[in-house]
Amino acid sequence: MKIIRFIIIMSIVCLQLFAQKKENEKKELTSAKKKNEIIFSNDQDTKSYLLMLENALNRVSESYVDSVNESELIKAGIKGMMKPLDPYTKFLSGSSKDRLDMLRTGKYGGVGIQIGLRRDTLTVLTPFEDSPAYTEGIHSGDQIIMIDSVDTKGMTLKDASSLIKGELGSMVKLTIFRPSEKKKIIFELTRANIIVKHVPYWGVDDDGIGYVRITKFSKNTAKDFSLAINDIKDEEIKGLVIDLRSNSGGLLSNAINILDKLTDRGLNLLNTKGRIKKSNRKMNSRRVPAISNNIPVAVLINKSSASASEIVSGVLQDLDRAVIVGTKSFGKGLVQSMYNLNDTTTLKVTTAKYYTPSGRLIQKEDYLENGFLTDGLDKKDSLFYTRGGRKVQGGGGITPDVEVKQLKLPNYVQGLWRAGVFLAFAADYVPRHNIKAPIIITDKIYKDFEKFLLEYEINYSLPGEKDLARLKTSIKSNDDSKKDKFNLLGKIFFWKKADHKTNSLTRKIDRYYYKKRANQYWDQENIRWIKNGLLREMSLVANGEKEKIKVSLYEDNVYNEAKNILLDLNRYHDIFIPKKDELKMESVPN
């Protein structure tokens, strides 16, 4: 059956390609412009395999033991045909195509809320500004208990999202429970075009450092980035931080448009290379930069910064225009093109590799072991040089100029976040006490949160607890606990002996962990992060997502390190000076 499915998979796409090929065959053979277009190397072999695929589909349709949905077989076949290729070449339909369309259009039909699961309850994380949900008064922390007539208990986020989204102008009824009022409220909302905001926050702090967060490169990203830069530069900033952490990429054109605003006119920004002529492009900056070259720039990245994020950070690094701070990025150096097969399906096909100004390809080799997609950068010297002569590495992502790892939250605080208690408390506490931004976490708020937590069981493990559990298991299974195996009573009560032995050996350790757990809420390191969690979620409820992002930077060690670099111009400029062992050696004739 797997072989049949594979054959069917190959048939659908190949049949479409074959039909298209026949239609354009004469043009491809006679037009000089189409020399590089894809043509089959052996036309006779192609015809025979296409016929084989058609026969296989017919046989399955006619002879399979149960009725066959041919359209589903065809779609499954196309998906299967993509599997031997790279993981970014995909057949998109349904929700996956909807996400792509949202990226390309920068909008979708819905009511404008971000939702999540908190203690298995569908919860509004934030309503988007100027959306139907925002206008009608839905709040962060509201619990959605019904969508139209459907109970949301046990519902997945994917299913909930598909029910809430819909055709423009249509109605959806949300029944919510508001914790602060202890009552149900029904909202009848008209679905509208929701403009996606992938530049959710920008601002300038008290030290004059501008900050812009970019979460995705969609249709509106470059336009919103321009708005951010225009607002920020009016305040005579001392430096600019661009946050691309956990930004998985998006539209190449938007990445180039953003680079246009940060680099001098005429500089090479990016080159793409593929099999066909139209995939080979050279992109240069076309405009005067939106901010002065005298303003220092830092870009934040992490292991989840990919694709377009790596283009922006890699180009600015190559041109010595920005200091890159954080951890090594993901490593995606490929470009995809979109081909609509019909109104509901799209092929996303990898058609080119991209190269930064220094010549770097940053693609990592993680799925094909022949080095093709990485140009063999894993097997040979892959050092390149920035505009000012610094060495930079090709392949495997962008290596930051200053490596800073994000501080890890203590285990107890991680447990609090997983339980969703920060938002649950904020959604109840902020409205009842009429708290306004800017939020200050007072001693009373901190003590009230401790009382609030009595209703919750927080699951977490302290360092060493898992090892202790394994030790106890090992002791129980030890042969010593079975030394009386020939004694009947020993056989019957051996578990008591094992438990007694275990308890006696680990009693002091157990007592230590009992005391440690009892004092987690008032542990000095935990207090810092608990207050930060309260500040973030209470700010969200009081004044929206922008306020939450703003206060989240207070305890962000990666951002604070970048800020310190920008405020110390000597340190900033020293980063761009090549080290002695980095100087590019040029041969001199003798």
Side-chain angles (χ1 to χ4, degrees), residues 15 238 404 500:
L15 285 171
K238 297 177 183 177
V404 185
H500 177 73

Side-chain angles (χ1 to χ4, degrees), residues 293-310:
N293 286 327
N294 295 325
I295 295 176
V297 178
V299 178
L300 311 185
I301 61 172
N302 62 12
K303 65 179 181 180
S304 298
S305 303
S307 193
S309 293
E310 294 173 297

Side-chain angles (χ1 to χ4, degrees), residues 30-46:
T30 57
S31 173
K33 292 182 180 180
K34 303 245 178 175
K35 285 181 181 178
N36 291 324
E37 291 290 337
I38 298 174
I39 57 174
F40 295 112
S41 59
N42 190 321
D43 191 58
Q44 193 59 42
D45 283 351
T46 301

Side-chain angles (χ1 to χ4, degrees), residues 49-287:
Y49 277 106
L50 285 171
L51 182 61
M52 183 191 303
L53 289 170
E54 185 179 2
N55 288 337
L57 179 61
N58 290 336
R59 289 294 185 189
V60 171
S61 298
E62 294 171 0
S63 308
Y64 187 67
V65 62
D66 291 321
S67 60
V68 171
N69 185 326
E70 291 187 0
S71 62
E72 289 302 316
L73 283 179
I74 289 170
K75 287 194 287 187
I78 300 174
K79 290 178 182 178
M81 191 178 74
M82 306 294 113
K83 287 184 178 179
L85 307 176
D86 68 273
Y88 311 112
T89 296
K90 293 181 178 180
F91 172 73
L92 304 177
S93 62
S95 60
S96 58
K97 185 178 185 299
D98 291 342
R99 288 191 294 271
L100 175 64
D101 290 341
M102 185 173 70
L103 193 70
R104 291 195 287 185
T105 63
K107 59 187 179 182
Y108 67 93
V111 298
I113 52 174
Q114 182 182 355
I115 56 175
L117 289 175
R118 295 295 181 267
R119 295 186 76 196
D120 299 324
T121 300
L122 192 65
T123 304
V124 176
L125 302 184
T126 182
F128 303 146
E129 288 186 17
D130 302 323
S131 68
Y134 183 89
T135 303
E136 292 297 324
I138 288 182
H139 299 164
S140 295
D142 283 349
Q143 299 170 358
I144 303 174
I145 55 179
M146 291 191 75
I147 303 172
D148 289 327
S149 59
V150 182
D151 192 332
T152 62
K153 187 176 181 179
M155 187 179 290
T156 65
L157 288 177
K158 181 179 178 181
D159 290 341
S161 180
S162 64
L163 287 175
I164 295 172
K165 292 178 181 178
E167 293 183 9
L168 300 181
S170 61
M171 299 284 293
V172 61
K173 183 169 70 175
L174 300 184
T175 304
I176 68 103
F177 176 78
R178 181 159 293 165
S180 61
E181 299 179 16
K182 309 297 182 187
K183 67 178 183 180
K184 295 179 182 178
I185 308 174
I186 296 176
F187 291 90
E188 292 188 355
L189 306 172
T190 302
R191 296 183 178 98
N193 261 331
I194 306 302
I195 306 301
V196 182
K197 299 290 186 182
H198 284 134
V199 186
Y201 173 75
W202 62 83
V204 180
D205 68 12
D206 293 339
D207 294 314
I209 298 299
Y211 173 88
V212 183
R213 176 171 292 185
I214 304 175
T215 59
K216 200 83 171 175
F217 290 87
S218 63
K219 182 180 178 180
N220 301 316
T221 300
K223 180 182 70 175
D224 290 342
F225 182 78
S226 291
L227 293 175
I229 293 299
N230 289 334
D231 280 352
I232 285 173
K233 70 180 183 181
D234 288 342
E235 300 191 37
E236 299 183 0
I237 57 173
K238 297 177 183 177
L240 174 66
V241 175
I242 302 172
D243 194 345
L244 300 179
R245 288 175 294 179
S246 300
N247 182 326
S248 60
L251 303 180
L252 172 63
S253 58
N254 266 253
I256 297 301
N257 287 338
I258 286 174
L259 287 168
D260 243 354
K261 297 169 176 58
L262 299 169
T263 56
D264 289 326
R265 179 186 290 170
L267 293 177
N268 177 236
L269 300 178
L270 201 73
N271 300 306
T272 63
K273 298 177 184 178
R275 280 183 63 196
I276 60 177
K277 187 175 182 179
K278 66 180 181 181
S279 295
N280 300 316
R281 299 172 59 195
K282 183 176 182 179
M283 286 161 267
N284 295 336
S285 54
R286 299 158 294 177
R287 301 181 180 88

Side-chain angles (χ1 to χ4, degrees), residues 75 91-94 97 339-347:
K75 287 194 287 187
F91 172 73
L92 304 177
S93 62
K97 185 178 185 299
Y339 302 97
N340 291 331
L341 300 181
N342 57 28
D343 291 341
T344 60
T345 59
T346 296
L347 276 183

